[in-house]
Amino acid sequence: MATAMTPVGQDQPTKADPPPVVFDLSQPPVIEGFTPLPRAKEENFKDKFIRKTKDNPFVPIGCLGTAGALIYGLSAFRRGKTRQSQLLMRARIFAQGFTVVAILVGVAATALKPKQ
């Protein structure tokens, strides 16, 4: 009884390898039935600072008050006016507290603002 020997794998039809998929990394992937939102305009530091200042103007005011009291208090300390220096350091602490409260109120107002 002689049987014909065939090499393994030759009795099945061979499949051609699919071509490699080339990804274009400069473009977002195309997903059927999905349209992405357009990208927002890139915002530089100046534009972002102006927008945030308009949203919550008390934070920059508090920061300037804190810096002013600190600088003026340090200069009074350097001149030897200890009483004035102590009062200005207390004013600095008050200005810092004002700034923190302004930040918290701004965050709360932003969280409670209805989304557009």
Side-chain angles (χ1 to χ4, degrees):
M1 213 163 140
T3 58
M5 298 290 283
T6 59
V8 177
Q10 283 190 358
D11 54 345
Q12 299 171 355
T14 59
K15 296 180 183 176
D17 292 332
V21 179
V22 178
F23 292 108
D24 184 13
L25 299 177
S26 65
Q27 297 292 326
V30 178
I31 301 172
E32 187 176 324
F34 175 73
T35 55
L37 295 174
R39 288 188 178 178
K41 180 187 141 202
E42 292 295 324
E43 195 173 31
N44 61 15
F45 177 78
K46 180 181 173 185
D47 294 335
K48 186 174 183 179
F49 180 77
I50 291 171
R51 179 177 56 86
K52 296 272 187 181
T53 303
K54 286 180 182 177
D55 288 347
N56 194 354
F58 295 111
V59 173
I61 292 170
C63 290
L64 289 174
T66 302
L70 177 66
I71 292 169
Y72 193 52
L74 288 174
S75 68
F77 180 74
R78 187 173 184 188
R79 288 182 303 218
K81 298 180 179 181
T82 56
R83 174 87 175 131
Q84 185 181 16
S85 175
Q86 282 293 320
L87 289 175
L88 286 166
M89 288 302 114
R90 291 178 188 162
R92 176 190 58 88
I93 292 170
F94 174 76
Q96 282 179 318
F98 176 81
T99 305
V100 169
V101 169
I103 290 170
L104 292 176
V105 168
V107 167
T110 303
L112 297 176
K113 188 187 302 184
K115 297 196 179 194
Q116 297 173 354

